[in-house]
């Protein structure tokens, strides 16, 4: 109990002090918030939103994290944004990185019963942070009148490859963050019963992992999964062990020698993690290329696979599942910077899917190669295949299954986005909606949005506000968003009008005639 009260102790001084009004103090229902107190423990990032940075846990290298102790008090609050967890290509990192960046509208006061959105960042489980400018949470917090909490967790080998074989350390980090938040947000005006977890890409995979953990079920009410590559499934213990053995062999340490493991430099570990990432598919093709280091279905913490290869549990939590029109754009057009022939197209499909699946896909006529301006370019076909089976169709299969087991599932596809910074250098993405282009829409961080983008930002923030508060994203004046059924996703277009095209995502094709990776490898 002492550890769980820490969040309360940290934020109470900033938000509960009652003083005389000051120039930009806010009076709500007789409670006055002090500019001085906000300035002491937080940063006023908008005139109506204050940001707090809270350390939620401590962790020794390759050991489970533990929630912070109340005895550490306000020393665990800092005004500056936290260092990211160690990752390649970033100098501002630290192993002491288990922080939550919390955005609190100044209109929220004790007793407000406000909702909380807990955002889990993406980055293939090897990169990213809670301080990424694209997930700056103040605009979303203000628009939804909710608390927005961005969570950091250990990445790469430091989060998933403990030499002694302890798995899912990063998942346990996020559980600690949720535990602290569930105890703390009621003291600052949030409701313990209105916590929604959300994430994009690997962040959405983390959300799915939390949905597969019965012991974490009480920590949140609903979930939002944006662009989760569900085709991969969770790793099996066998695949994890294969990767673990390879990782351990990159060092001279005995796996049980904690002293030796502690003496390794962060750079050595990050380098070894990168080598594992690049070699994973050659070690075991079940890893896939996009998230080879990811949560493990260990049977102890993560007890459900949440795939069609095993008994899917009965569920009740509302979920919101979205993809974007061109998820694979950065991948395909990153690999192939110039047009490719139909022969190269077919070879790539065979190398990716294997002969049996490739034969079915190519014979289906669903993915044809066409010439534009007299030039044959098979990249659009490859992009469509990858988008469908890695993201769109696998997410639709998941949503139909979720609905069949009792849980409300709302499904959507973005056909309008705002170019994510890393997509700016990819010409294809300048006219398409690529992976991550939904993030600036949801968070309202798009740079100079045009009228259509502004309209979509307002729509999605209104829908998120409704979902956070009522478990339903429908808002008066907007297109009706119906829940999925066991046979249909009822997916809508986001940024467009009407239902999303089914195309190859019919139940009889992907997941049936053509198996997903998790089906092929029994994940």
């Amino acid at each position: 109990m002492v550890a769980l009260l820490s969040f309360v102790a940290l934020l109470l001084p900033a938000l509960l002090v009652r003083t005389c009004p000051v120039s930009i103090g806010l009076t709500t229902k007789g409670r006055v918030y002090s500019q001085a107190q906000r300035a002491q423990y937080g940063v006023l990032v908008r005139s109506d939103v204050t940001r707090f940075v809270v350390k939620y846990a401590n962790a020794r290298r390759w050991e489970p994290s533990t929630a912070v102790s109340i005895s550490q008090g306000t020393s665990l609050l800092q005004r500056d944004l936290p260092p990211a967890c160690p990752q390649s290509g970033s100098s501002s990192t630290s192993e002491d990185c288990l922080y939550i960046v919390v955005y609190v509208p100044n209109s929220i006061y004790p007793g407000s019963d406000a909702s909380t959105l807990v955002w889990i960042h993406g980055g293939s489980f090897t990169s990213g942070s809670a301080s990424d400018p694209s997930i700056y949470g103040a605009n979303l917090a203000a628009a939804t009148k909710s608390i927005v909490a961005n969570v950091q967790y250990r990445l790469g080998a430091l989060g998933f490859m403990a030499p002694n074989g302890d798995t899912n350390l990063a998942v346990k980090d996020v559980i600690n963050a949720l535990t602290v938040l569930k105890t703390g947000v009621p003291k600052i005006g949030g409701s313990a019963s209105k916590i929604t977890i959300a994430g994009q890409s690997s962040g959405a995979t983390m959300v799915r992992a939390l949905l597969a953990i019965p012991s974490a079920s009480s920590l949140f009410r609903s979930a939002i999964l944006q662009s989760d590559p569900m085709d991969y499934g969770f790793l099996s213990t066998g695949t994890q062990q294969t990767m673990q053995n390879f990782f351990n062999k990159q060092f001279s340490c005995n796996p049980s020698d904690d002293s030796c493991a502690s003496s390794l430099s962060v750079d050595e570990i990050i380098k070894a993690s990168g080598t594992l990432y690049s070699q994973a598919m050659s070690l075991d093709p079940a890893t896939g290329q996009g998230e080879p280091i990811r949560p493990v279905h260990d049977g102890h913490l993560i007890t459900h696979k949440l795939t069609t290869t095993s008994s899917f549990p009965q569920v009740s939590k509302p979920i919101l599942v979205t993809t974007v029109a061109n998820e694979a754009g950065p991948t395909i057009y990153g690999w192939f910077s110039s047009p490719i022939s139909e022969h190269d197209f077919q070879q790539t499909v065979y190398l990716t899917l294997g002969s049996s699946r490739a034969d079915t896909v190519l014979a289906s006529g669903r993915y044809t190669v066409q010439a534009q301006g007299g030039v044959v370019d098979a990249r659009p076909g490859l992009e469509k295949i990858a988008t469908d089976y890695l993201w769109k169709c696998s997410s639709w299969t998941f949503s139909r299954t979720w609905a069949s087991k009792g849980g409300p599932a709302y499904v959507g596809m973005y056909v309008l986005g705002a170019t994510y910074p890393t997509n700016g250098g990819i010409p294809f993405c300048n006219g398409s909606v690529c992976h991550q282009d939904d993030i600036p829409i949801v968070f309202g961080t798009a740079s100079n949005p045009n009228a259509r983008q502004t309209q979509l930002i307002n729509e999605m923030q209104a829908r998120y506000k409704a979902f956070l508060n009522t478990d339903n994203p429908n808002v008066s004046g907007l297109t009706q968003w119906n829940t999925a059924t066991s046979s249909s996703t009822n997916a809508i277009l986001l940024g467009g009008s009407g239902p999303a095209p089914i195309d190859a995502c019919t139940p009889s094709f992907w997941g049936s005639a053509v198996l997903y990776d998790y089906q092929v490898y029994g994940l």
Side-chain angles (χ1 to χ4, degrees), residues 195-199 207-208 211 220-225 317-321 402 467:
I195 294 175
T196 297
I197 56 173
V207 169
R208 179 159 44 93
L211 289 169
F220 59 97
R221 186 174 78 176
S222 56
I224 299 173
L225 302 93
K317 291 186 185 297
I319 63 172
L320 197 156
V321 180
W402 189 268
F467 187 74

Side-chain angles (χ1 to χ4, degrees), residues 116-360:
T116 297
L117 177 70
V118 182
W119 183 263
I120 305 169
H121 70 77
S124 298
F125 292 113
T126 60
S127 65
S129 77
S131 306
D132 184 328
S134 292
I135 60 172
Y136 165 77
N139 298 336
L140 181 59
T144 58
K145 292 182 170 56
S146 66
I147 298 166
V148 174
N150 295 346
V151 175
Q152 294 192 163
Y153 51 94
R154 284 174 286 181
L155 301 170
L158 288 166
F160 293 94
M161 291 289 159
N164 65 4
D166 196 358
T167 61
N168 294 319
L169 293 176
V171 181
K172 296 171 186 176
D173 291 344
V174 177
I175 290 174
N176 263 332
L178 288 171
T179 301
V180 169
L181 283 166
K182 187 175 179 68
T183 304
V185 293
K187 306 301 182 181
I188 59 172
S191 169
S193 64
K194 290 164 58 176
I195 294 175
T196 297
I197 56 173
Q200 187 271 347
S201 195
S202 60
T205 302
M206 181 69 85
V207 169
R208 179 159 44 93
L210 292 165
L211 289 169
I213 302 173
S215 60
S217 182
S218 64
L219 298 175
F220 59 97
R221 186 174 78 176
S222 56
I224 299 173
L225 302 93
Q226 297 178 207
S227 300
D228 182 359
M230 295 191 187
D231 167 78
Y232 293 134
F234 304 131
L235 290 182
S236 68
T237 54
T239 298
Q240 173 73 11
Q241 189 60 58
T242 297
M243 296 175 69
Q244 189 72 68
N245 292 342
F246 177 85
F247 179 75
N248 288 355
K249 287 179 181 178
Q250 296 185 68
F251 307 108
S252 59
C253 299
N254 185 298
S256 61
D257 188 344
D258 293 339
S259 177
C260 183
S262 297
S263 70
L264 296 171
S265 71
V266 171
D267 287 344
E268 287 179 288
I269 296 170
I270 295 300
K271 180 179 179 181
S273 183
T275 301
L276 173 64
Y277 189 100
S278 63
Q279 297 296 316
M281 275 202 70
S282 64
L283 298 171
D284 187 335
T287 59
Q289 293 181 325
E291 290 180 0
I293 301 173
R294 63 181 185 270
V296 182
H297 174 242
D298 57 5
H300 302 291
L301 183 69
I302 299 177
T303 59
H304 300 301
K305 293 182 179 180
L306 295 188
T307 65
T308 56
T309 62
S310 62
S311 178
F312 205 102
Q314 290 296 125
V315 295
S316 60
K317 291 186 185 297
I319 63 172
L320 197 156
V321 180
T322 62
T323 58
V324 303
N326 305 105
E327 296 278 9
T331 302
I332 299 303
Y333 287 82
W335 284 347
F336 304 104
S337 58
S338 57
I340 63 173
S341 68
E342 184 170 5
H343 175 266
D344 290 338
F345 166 77
Q346 292 179 349
Q347 278 204 323
T348 303
V349 174
Y350 276 102
L351 286 172
T352 302
L353 298 177
S355 59
S356 178
R357 289 193 291 174
D359 284 340
T360 304

Side-chain angles (χ1 to χ4, degrees), residues 61 67 79-80 95 109-110 117 140 169 175 180 290 320 330 388 400 440 463 479 485 493 497 513:
R61 180 180 292 177
R79 290 173 51 79
D80 296 332
E95 287 190 74
Y109 55 88
L117 177 70
L140 181 59
L169 293 176
I175 290 174
V180 169
L320 197 156
D388 280 357
R400 290 192 299 264
R463 289 193 182 279
T479 300
T485 68
L493 294 178
S497 60

